[in-house]
């Protein structure tokens, strides 16, 4: 818990510690609820979600007397996913990573590769952000650091061709996981979205059913703007998961709840620092415990 707790310090200090204090000291009357509402809105939870939290809390305290425990239960319920059936992972499993530049895409791919490597998986990284030379180079460095195969055609190459190569490579060499980095330049949004569609389509042609997941990286410090970006991406490709980075850099960690409510897409991992071990699987109970610690 400690790393996640540390990463959520700003959000806790500015919002949730106060929430906890209010709920321990005062009766859950209209005034307290209003104060609570204002605090939660500050955390970027989104007005609708805050209203839902308040309504559910009023119900919950009827059965769970302690308001803090009741709030904890309500928050966990909102974040909880239906249990997924455990299926055998396809091989190779292909994961496409999308998101705006600067959100932490490449770093996240590096951290994920490390997690997968530690599970004994053989990983291939594909540099399909062919727009920026620095992105290709950065991914190469990560591949060397974690011991993953690296597939690239250099800057300016066709992104779909790189993705194609990577999946072919994984198929022929019996690799377990392919992670594909993609471009995230916003100023040429139309081209970007067309490129993503093409990458997606091409992968599906080499390996039916792939990509098996498309994860969108969102920078928590961009708050509600991140949600707007996310909706743009979701119009283009079917996003199956979210990685929320830089939670350590914001007091607005309540954005997790807004993502869950508005995007209806599960948060898979959270970034709580720049270090290689600072990407953590998202667990609702652990997260809420850290918020109300
Ligand atoms: P990309 O342009 O989306 O590929 O973004 P990068 O992977 O290059 O990351 C941009 C910056 O964000 C880098 O300085 C990363 O170290 C930093 N970063 C990524 N994830 C996190 C995180 O969870 N916390 C913090 N504090 N910084 C992060």
């Amino acid at each position: 818990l400690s790393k996640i707790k540390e990463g959520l310090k700003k959000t806790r200090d500015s919002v949730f510690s106060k929430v906890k204090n209010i709920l321990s000291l005062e009766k859950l009357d209209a005034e307290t609820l209003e104060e609570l509402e204002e605090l939660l809105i500050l955390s970027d939870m989104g007005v609708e979600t805050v209203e839902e939290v308040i309504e559910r809390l009023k119900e919950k305290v009827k059965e769970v007397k302690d308001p803090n425990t009741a709030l904890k239960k309500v928050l966990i319920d909102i974040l909880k996913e239906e249990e997924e059936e455990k299926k055998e992972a396809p091989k190779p499993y292909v994961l496409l990573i999308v998101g705006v530049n600067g959100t932490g895409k490449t770093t996240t791919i590096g951290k994920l590769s490390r997690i997968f490597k530690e599970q004994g998986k053989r990983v291939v990284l594909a540099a399909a952000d062919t727009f920026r030379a620095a992105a290709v180079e950065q991914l190469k460095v990560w591949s060397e650091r974690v011991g993953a195969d690296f597939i690239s055609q250099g800057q300016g190459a066709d992104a779909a061709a790189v993705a194609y190569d990577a999946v072919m490579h994984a198929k022929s060499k019996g690799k377990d996981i392919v992670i594909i980095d993609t471009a995230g330049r916003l100023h040429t949004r139309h081209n970007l979205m067309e490129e993503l569609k093409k990458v997606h389509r091409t992968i599906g042609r080499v390996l039916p059913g792939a990509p098996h997941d498309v994860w969108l990286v969102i920078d928590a410090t961009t708050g509600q703007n991140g949600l707007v970006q996310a909706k743009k991406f979701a119009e283009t490709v079917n996003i199956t998961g979210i990685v929320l980075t830089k939670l350590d850099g914001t007091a607005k960690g309540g954005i997790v709840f807004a993502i869950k409510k508005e995007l209806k897409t599960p948060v898979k991992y959270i970034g709580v620092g720049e270090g290689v071990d600072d990407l953590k699987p998202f667990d609702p109970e652990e997260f809420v415990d850290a918020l109300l610690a």
Side-chain angles (χ1 to χ4, degrees):
L1 179 76
S2 69
K3 192 72 216 193
I4 292 174
K5 208 173 139 183
E6 222 175 276
L8 290 175
K9 185 173 186 309
K10 289 186 180 169
T11 303
R12 200 169 47 247
D13 286 353
S14 67
V15 177
F16 286 89
S17 301
K18 294 178 188 159
V19 165
K20 204 175 147 189
N21 283 340
I22 295 176
L23 291 183
S24 349
L25 295 173
E26 289 165 56
K27 278 212 322 272
L28 208 55
D29 55 16
E31 205 179 318
T32 311
L33 286 173
E34 204 169 305
E35 225 176 313
L36 182 62
E37 195 170 331
E38 277 167 24
L39 274 171
L40 293 178
I41 284 172
L42 278 183
S43 81
D44 248 2
M45 200 179 265
V47 178
E48 263 176 56
T49 312
V50 171
E51 278 167 11
E52 184 177 336
V53 167
I54 301 287
E55 285 316 307
R56 288 209 206 179
L57 178 63
K58 284 196 245 171
E59 285 306 307
K60 205 59 156 185
V61 284
K62 289 178 190 162
E63 48 176 284
V64 187
K65 293 289 175 237
D66 170 43
N68 264 314
T69 310
L71 178 67
K72 197 177 260 189
K73 284 190 189 304
V74 167
L75 294 179
I76 291 171
D77 278 351
I78 287 181
L79 293 176
K80 263 227 161 107
E81 291 296 321
E82 315 260 309
E83 287 291 332
E84 265 176 62
E85 240 182 283
K86 282 254 182 288
K87 283 173 284 180
E88 205 178 322
K91 187 172 166 174
Y93 162 78
V94 181
L95 173 60
L96 188 64
I97 303 286
V98 304
V100 172
N101 285 343
T103 52
K105 237 179 325 151
T106 312
T107 311
T108 294
I109 292 172
K111 293 170 175 174
L112 280 173
S113 320
R114 162 88 163 231
I115 292 170
F116 293 141
K117 287 292 287 189
E118 277 171 1
Q119 296 167 355
K121 306 287 189 212
R122 306 205 299 159
V123 179
V124 179
L125 299 185
D129 179 355
T130 56
F131 194 69
R132 295 181 302 162
V136 177
E137 193 47 42
Q138 200 188 342
L139 198 68
K140 182 160 186 266
V141 170
W142 272 111
S143 72
E144 286 160 4
R145 192 186 295 175
V146 302
D149 290 2
F150 177 69
I151 303 293
S152 158
Q153 296 179 358
Q155 188 191 3
D158 177 16
V162 176
Y164 178 95
D165 273 3
V167 177
M168 286 302 278
H169 173 85
K171 271 172 78 169
S172 66
K173 305 275 187 209
K175 302 288 172 174
D176 301 295
I177 296 180
V178 184
I179 309 178
I180 302 173
D181 192 14
T182 60
R185 57 197 185 278
L186 262 193
H187 55 282
T188 52
R189 185 179 279 159
H190 180 69
N191 291 343
L192 170 65
M193 296 304 173
E194 287 310 310
E195 182 177 290
L196 278 185
K197 278 188 203 163
K198 187 175 164 195
V199 168
H200 197 283
R201 211 164 49 226
T202 305
I203 300 168
R205 252 184 233 139
V206 202
L207 185 67
H212 305 94
D213 276 303
V214 182
W215 289 357
L216 172 70
V217 179
I218 301 179
D219 174 345
T221 66
T222 61
Q224 296 281 332
N225 266 337
L227 277 184
V228 176
Q229 288 168 11
K231 285 176 188 161
K232 291 275 170 229
F233 278 94
E235 284 165 16
T236 305
V237 282
N238 178 30
I239 306 291
T240 62
I242 304 286
V243 177
L244 187 63
T245 59
K246 308 189 199 179
L247 271 166
D248 54 307
T250 179
K252 299 186 178 286
I255 191 72
V256 171
F257 298 91
I259 287 172
K260 170 77 202 206
K261 294 301 288 182
E262 289 190 37
L263 302 180
K264 299 184 173 59
T265 308
V267 175
K268 297 289 188 184
Y269 282 89
I270 52 175
V272 289
E274 290 196 88
V276 66
D277 293 320
D278 294 338
L279 187 74
K280 304 290 180 194
F282 179 69
D283 175 63
E285 289 187 31
E286 201 177 8
F287 186 83
V288 173
D289 271 344
L291 281 183
L292 294 170

